[in-house]
């Protein structure tokens, strides 16, 4: 018992500080991916419900590809593929220099494209749940396209899309575990290092699982609060 | 009479449709589509240009065996998970707290933590208990990465499938249970003849999604040295440093997932024919 506590303490013999740093990396990666994925997902949803056929088709190709590939493979494709591509372009201008893609950025892009392709479906079904009359009402009182979107449609859209988006956030949080494979020091990687050094694999991977659970619980509390906040303008039943 | 009327209406000269204007959306759509086409052509050109018969002859059999491993892993864990999910879903819906609470905790744990962490916990973590496992004779089981992967995937998918099953059974109105009870069917008969046939229609799409998620999720077993499709890909890449190894894996995964998705769509269309108005 005492040994366990020493192992988990913050300090020279303990692994507490290393694992805390891992939590920080996991959370910041997820938080950095979220706005990227949300913005891209929203744009793709707009494209999917456009009247223009080619735009719809282009958006559907995007979702088909990134929902069909395993997340791990997407990560490798981005990490190695972009690295190769950038190196080739750089070699054209200044041969001999080597460029390394930041693992954090690669993880952000890979998780972002996956997140955005799922988020676009959530946004699309939320768009479909908003009656046409809402747009027509907006136009009738003289609002422009953009104003109707911002003042009339978006506030309702957020409310409808929120449960789906909170699911996607939890999936994103779990998917960040994959970046440990390309060398980013997240929870899993730090726990793995600690496990290898101390030979207490069950303890450290168990703690990693518990940490993910804690993050999930915190997220659901936060989403509960956001849902109440967006629901405050909902008509009373 | 109506025939002539139809001919007359058909003969009416309509004004020509207004020309389709080049709106911003249309330009953006064509530009993006052109980008996809360029990328697709570029990809094919890359694969053709990088074509290496020797490489193909050497690694294609490995990819095939990797594909077999992936399919085996997914099929076995989905099947075992389905068996395990029924009692879990039953316990979760039970009004007995002693049954419902552990089932809730089980589902929450396996849905709240990454599959990768669960796999590591079983494969590396249970190694901490080697003396105890050797004493009960289970060490030979937990020593093999393959068995650990199957165990982790089974436990994980059982949690998800239990939730699917629970949601589907919950979606059946109370009246169906009451009607069956008034006909004198007991619980098991009601479940088998009344509830499940209706619930499975609701559950089909989530089940299909779960299979697809498992196929995609199974790629992570490559990290614990199981040579599935992803594992073979990583091995081929580490030996050749040829990026087309990853492209081929992407093409195979995409083909599997798309085929499966179309099959599920087809099954759903077929079994919901009686619901269409």
């Amino acid at each position: 018992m005492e040994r366990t506590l020493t192992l988990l303490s913050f300090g020279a013999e303990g692994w507490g500080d290393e694992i805390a740093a891992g939590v920080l990396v996991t959370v910041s990666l997820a938080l950095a991916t979220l706005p990227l994925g949300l913005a891209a997902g929203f744009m793709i949803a707009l494209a999917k419900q456009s009247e223009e056929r080619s735009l719809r088709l282009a958006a559907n190709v995007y979702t088909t590809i990134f929902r069909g590939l395993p997340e791990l493979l997407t990560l490798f494709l981005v990490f190695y593929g972009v690295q190769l591509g950038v190196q080739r372009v750089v070699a054209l201008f200044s041969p001999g220099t080597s460029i390394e893609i930041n693992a954090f950025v690669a993880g952000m892009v890979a998780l972002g494209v996956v997140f955005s392709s799922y988020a676009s479906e959530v946004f699309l079904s939320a768009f479909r749940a908003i009656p046409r009359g809402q747009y027509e009402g907006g136009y009738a009182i003289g609002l422009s396209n953009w104003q109707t979107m911002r003042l009339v449609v978006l506030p309702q859209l957020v409310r409808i899309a929120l449960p789906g988006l909170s699911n996607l956030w939890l999936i994103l949080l779990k998917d960040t575990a994959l970046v440990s494979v390309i060398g980013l020091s997240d929870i899993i990687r730090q726990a793995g290092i600690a496990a290898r050094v101390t030979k207490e694999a069950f303890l450290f991977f168990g703690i990693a699982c518990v940490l993910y659970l804690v993050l999930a619980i915190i997220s659901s509390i936060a989403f509960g609060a956001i849902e109440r906040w967006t629901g405050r303008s909902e008509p009373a039943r | 009479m109506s025939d002539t009327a139809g001919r007359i209406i058909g003969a009416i000269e309509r004004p020509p449709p207004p020309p389709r204007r080049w709106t911003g959306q249309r330009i953006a759509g064509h530009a993006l589509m052109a980008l996809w086409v360029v990328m697709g052509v570029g990809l094919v050109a890359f694969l053709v240009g990088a074509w290496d018969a020797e490489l193909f002859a050497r690694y294609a059999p490995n990819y095939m065996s990797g594909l077999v491993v992936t399919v085996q892993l997914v099929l076995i864990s989905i099947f075992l998970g389905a068996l395990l999910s029924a009692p879990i879903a039953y316990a979760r819906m039970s009004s007995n707290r002693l049954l419902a609470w552990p089932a809730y905790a089980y589902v929450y744990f396996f849905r709240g933590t990454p599959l990768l962490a669960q796999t590591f916990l079983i494969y590396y973590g249970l190694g901490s208990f080697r003396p105890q496992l050797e004493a009960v004779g289970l060490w030979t089981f937990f020593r093999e990465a393959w068995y650990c992967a199957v165990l982790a995937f089974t436990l994980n998918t059982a949690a998800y499938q239990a939730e699917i099953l629970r949601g589907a059974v919950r979606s059946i109105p109370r009246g169906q249970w009451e009607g069956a009870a008034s006909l004198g069917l007991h619980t098991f008969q009601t479940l088998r003849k009344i509830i499940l046939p209706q619930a499975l229609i609701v559950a089909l799409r989530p089940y299909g999604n779960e299979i697809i998620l498992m196929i995609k999720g199974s790629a992570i077993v490559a990290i614990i040295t199981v040579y599935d499709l992803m594992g073979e890909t990583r091995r081929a890449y580490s030996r050749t440093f040829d990026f087309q190894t990853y492209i081929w894996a992407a093409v195979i995964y995409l083909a599997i997932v798309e085929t499966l998705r179309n099959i599920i769509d087809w099954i759903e269309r077929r079994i919901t024919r009686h619901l269409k108005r």
Side-chain angles (χ1 to χ4, degrees):
Chain A
M1 189 63 214
E2 200 171 316
R3 180 172 142 72
T4 309
L5 285 180
T6 321
L7 282 177
L8 295 181
S9 65
F10 287 70
E13 311 91 280
W15 289 89
D17 38 354
E18 279 84 354
I19 290 179
V23 174
L24 201 65
V25 170
T26 294
V27 171
S28 52
L29 178 65
L31 282 179
T33 309
L34 185 68
L36 190 82
L38 279 181
F42 187 75
M43 298 304 286
I44 295 160
L46 280 182
K48 273 187 185 168
Q49 57 151 14
S50 142
E51 284 166 14
E52 175 55 39
R53 227 184 43 175
S54 56
L55 201 55
R56 282 203 308 266
L57 193 61
N60 283 329
V61 171
Y62 179 88
T63 26
T64 306
I65 291 178
F66 290 111
R67 287 201 312 174
L69 288 180
E71 288 80 359
L72 187 62
L73 187 57
T74 312
L75 192 64
F76 282 145
L77 286 177
V78 170
F79 189 58
Y80 295 121
V82 173
Q83 197 148 327
L84 280 176
V86 169
Q87 248 158 26
R88 260 187 211 172
V89 172
V90 169
L92 286 181
F93 299 106
S94 58
T97 48
S98 81
I99 290 215
E100 287 225 346
I101 295 290
N102 188 336
F104 190 90
V105 175
M108 217 170 101
V109 171
L111 294 176
V113 282
V114 175
F115 184 90
S116 66
S117 57
Y118 281 98
S120 74
E121 292 289 306
V122 171
F123 280 125
L124 186 66
S125 61
F127 267 123
R128 294 207 171 127
I130 294 174
R132 272 222 65 74
Q134 296 290 328
Y135 294 88
E136 285 162 4
Y139 300 143
I141 56 172
L143 299 180
S144 69
N145 258 333
W146 166 238
Q147 281 175 321
T148 312
M149 183 58 82
R150 192 167 59 87
L151 299 171
V152 180
V153 177
L154 259 185
Q156 306 181 56
L157 189 79
V158 170
R159 211 181 300 150
I160 301 170
L162 206 56
L165 292 180
S166 78
N167 262 342
L168 290 182
W169 163 257
L170 292 177
I171 292 174
L172 173 66
L173 210 52
K174 289 188 281 170
D175 278 349
T176 54
L178 296 177
V179 294
S180 59
V181 184
I182 56 169
L184 207 58
S185 323
D186 75 327
I187 297 178
I188 295 276
R189 192 173 171 83
Q190 299 291 59
I193 294 171
R196 224 171 305 136
V197 173
T198 62
K199 306 268 187 265
E200 291 278 357
F202 193 80
L203 174 70
F204 281 107
F205 284 120
I207 283 173
C209 286
V210 170
L211 286 173
Y212 278 105
L213 277 184
V214 169
L215 290 179
I217 293 170
I218 294 174
S219 316
S220 28
I221 294 173
F223 269 105
I226 298 174
E227 221 156 298
R228 271 195 303 285
W229 180 72
T230 54
R232 74 201 184 286
S233 52
E234 204 160 319
R237 271 176 217 162
Chain B
M1 176 63 202
S2 65
D3 190 44
T4 49
R7 220 176 311 138
I8 290 167
I9 289 172
I12 289 175
E13 268 189 40
R14 294 208 165 83
R20 290 184 63 201
R21 292 195 305 135
W22 282 94
T23 55
Q25 278 191 9
R26 200 169 165 211
I27 294 168
H30 279 73
L32 287 174
M33 234 13 247
L35 187 69
W36 279 128
V37 170
V38 166
M39 277 165 75
V41 170
L43 196 67
V44 172
F46 170 70
L47 286 180
V48 169
W51 176 258
D52 183 348
E54 197 201 339
L55 187 87
F56 192 78
R58 193 140 138 238
Y59 289 105
N62 291 3
Y63 272 58
M64 274 313 289
S65 77
L67 186 60
V68 171
V69 170
T70 295
V71 170
Q72 272 176 348
L73 178 64
V74 170
L75 283 184
I76 294 175
S77 9
I78 290 275
F79 177 71
L80 293 179
L83 292 185
L84 195 58
S85 74
I88 297 170
Y90 177 77
R92 182 108 162 67
M93 283 189 286
S94 155
S95 50
N96 184 348
R97 286 257 188 91
L98 278 177
L99 273 179
W101 201 84
Y104 178 74
Y106 176 89
V107 170
Y108 200 90
F109 177 80
F110 280 99
R111 298 208 321 159
T113 55
L115 185 51
L116 186 64
Q118 295 158 17
T119 313
F120 280 0
L121 190 64
I122 288 174
Y123 182 56
Y124 296 120
L126 290 183
S128 308
F129 303 110
R130 185 170 173 183
Q132 291 91 323
L133 288 172
E134 269 172 343
V136 258
L138 280 174
W139 177 243
T140 44
F141 180 87
F142 287 109
R143 199 180 46 192
E144 291 288 327
W146 162 256
Y147 289 124
C148 288
V150 170
L151 180 65
F153 278 54
T154 302
L155 294 178
N156 181 276
T157 190
Y160 281 93
Q161 289 188 36
E163 283 303 275
I164 295 172
L165 206 55
R166 189 177 73 98
V169 170
R170 274 281 152 82
S171 74
I172 307 302
R174 273 189 80 77
Q176 299 287 328
W177 285 97
E178 288 164 0
S182 69
L183 286 174
L185 299 180
H186 57 70
T187 314
F188 184 69
Q189 280 175 326
T190 314
L191 211 52
R192 191 164 64 87
K193 300 212 154 166
I194 313 288
I195 305 300
L196 279 186
Q198 300 180 69
L200 286 183
I201 292 180
V202 179
L204 177 71
R205 185 150 285 275
Y207 267 127
N209 286 339
E210 175 60 18
I211 295 176
I212 290 176
L213 283 181
M214 283 302 281
I215 289 177
K216 289 168 43 176
S218 72
I220 64 160
V221 292
I223 303 170
I224 60 162
T225 67
V226 174
Y227 286 102
D228 72 326
L229 183 53
M230 191 70 196
E232 290 291 354
T233 308
R234 271 168 53 118
R235 183 150 70 177
Y237 182 71
S238 66
R239 285 190 185 160
T240 59
F241 288 104
D242 192 341
F243 193 63
Q244 63 168 312
T245 50
Y246 277 119
I247 307 262
W248 281 115
V251 170
I252 298 173
Y253 272 115
L254 215 53
I256 300 175
V257 169
E258 272 309 291
T259 316
L260 209 57
R261 209 165 59 89
N262 282 311
I263 293 175
I264 294 162
D265 278 350
W266 181 80
I267 297 176
E268 190 177 37
R269 270 203 309 278
R270 253 195 95 78
I271 63 172
T272 56
R273 274 181 306 182
H274 63 290
L275 298 173
K276 291 270 156 57
R277 298 277 147 83

